[in-house]
Amino acid sequence: MLNTRVAIFTGGELHEEYIEKLNADDILIGADYGAWYLVNQQLKPTIAVGDFDSVSEEQYKRIEEYSHQVVRCDPIDKDLSDTELALKYAYSFHPAEIVIFGATGSRLDHTLANIQILSKTLKQGVRCSIINRNNLITATDSRITLHKSEYDYISLIPLTTEVRGIDLDGFMYPLSGAVLSIGDSLGISNQIVNSTGTIRIKEGILLVIQSKD
C-alpha cells in the first residue's frame, strides 16, 4: 500500500509519550505485552501477536476483546521472537515504512536481537526504525538522508564485518571512501551541520543511530 506505515509495539520499555509519535492512519501491531500497552492506551491493535507469556489471563482477554485480530503462538514451539512475528505480519501490508516501539529495554539480549532485525528489513525493501526516548535507530545498505532534528548526535556502527565506501556529506566530520570494521569507533558521535546530512555506502550494512542525551 502506497505510503502505508506500520507501527509495532513490542515488549520492552514502553512510555505513554510514544502515542504522540503515531500518525492517525498507522496500522498498529502489538507483540505480546505491546498489545496490552496499546489496549491500555485505548487503541485497537489491527493485529495482536505472540505467545502472550508477559500478560495475565485477564489482560489477554481484554486484548482479544479490543483487537481486530489475535494470533496466539505456543511459547515452546515457536521459532521466531514476538518482534519477528510482528514483522512477518507487518510485511503483509506491503508498507512503505515500519516503526518499532518497545524494542529496547533492560534485556540486552532482546535489545541486540531487535536491532539486528533491521538488517532483515532491508532485504524486504522496507524502511524500518526502532524508536525509544533517546534514540532513533535505522540501517542502510546504500544511501540515507537525515534531517537536522531533535537528535544531537549521529553514530555509524557496522552490522556486517566491514562497511566499505562510506561517504558523509553535511556532517561535522565528513568521510570519503572510508571503511568501518566491527569494533571501530570512528563513526561515533558525529553531528549534522547543514539542514540535512547524507550517508552513502558501497558495500555492507551500516547501523545509523540518531541520539540525544
Side-chain angles (χ1 to χ4, degrees):
M1 298 180 187
L2 186 64
N3 296 325
T4 298
R5 192 175 87 154
V6 175
I8 294 174
F9 288 79
T10 190
E13 290 183 357
L14 291 166
H15 303 282
E16 288 186 5
E17 65 263 27
Y18 290 170
I19 300 302
E20 299 171 5
K21 297 182 181 293
L22 293 176
N23 299 330
D25 56 353
D26 281 345
I27 294 169
L28 304 179
I29 297 181
D32 200 273
Y33 187 83
W36 168 247
Y37 168 87
L38 289 170
V39 169
N40 201 39
Q41 297 293 324
Q42 312 301 315
L43 295 171
K44 290 188 174 184
T46 305
I47 301 174
V49 62
D51 53 30
F52 297 102
D53 61 351
S54 299
V55 301
S56 68
E57 278 303 312
E58 182 179 347
Q59 289 170 332
Y60 178 70
K61 287 177 182 177
R62 286 192 61 193
I63 291 169
E64 277 193 311
E65 181 180 356
Y66 289 102
S67 301
H68 294 286
Q69 180 184 356
V70 177
V71 181
R72 191 169 193 175
C73 309
D74 188 296
I76 304 299
D77 291 336
K78 71 171 188 173
D79 294 324
L80 302 177
S81 69
D82 291 326
T83 306
E84 283 190 279
L85 284 169
L87 277 169
K88 174 184 173 183
Y89 286 94
Y91 296 146
S92 69
F93 293 97
H94 305 289
E97 182 180 5
I98 298 171
V99 292
I100 307 176
F101 300 92
T104 63
S106 59
R107 285 286 301 269
L108 186 58
D109 53 345
H110 284 220
T111 297
L112 289 174
N114 288 334
I115 289 172
Q116 290 179 340
I117 280 174
L118 293 174
S119 63
K120 292 186 175 182
T121 64
L122 287 175
K123 297 176 183 178
Q124 296 289 332
V126 181
R127 296 196 311 273
C128 185
S129 301
I130 290 172
I131 300 174
N132 63 21
R133 275 181 163 172
N134 296 88
N135 304 278
L136 191 157
I137 309 166
T138 191
T140 183
D141 58 3
S142 55
R143 175 191 173 114
I144 186 170
T145 297
L146 308 177
H147 295 270
K148 200 171 182 67
S149 67
E150 63 185 291
Y151 300 102
D152 301 312
Y153 306 104
I154 313 295
S155 292
L156 310 179
I157 299 174
L159 267 182
T160 47
T161 303
E162 280 190 340
V163 180
R164 306 183 69 85
I166 304 170
D167 294 333
L168 301 183
D169 294 320
F171 286 85
M172 181 177 292
Y173 306 109
L175 292 175
S176 178
V179 177
L180 282 177
S181 301
I182 287 179
D184 289 346
S185 59
L186 176 64
I188 300 297
S189 294
N190 210 333
Q191 292 180 281
I192 296 175
V193 292
N194 298 330
S195 58
T196 62
T198 300
I199 302 165
R200 293 182 296 272
I201 69 171
K202 291 183 178 178
E203 183 181 332
I205 299 175
L206 194 62
L207 196 66
V208 181
I209 302 176
Q210 303 176 65
S211 60
K212 60 183 178 180
D213 292 324

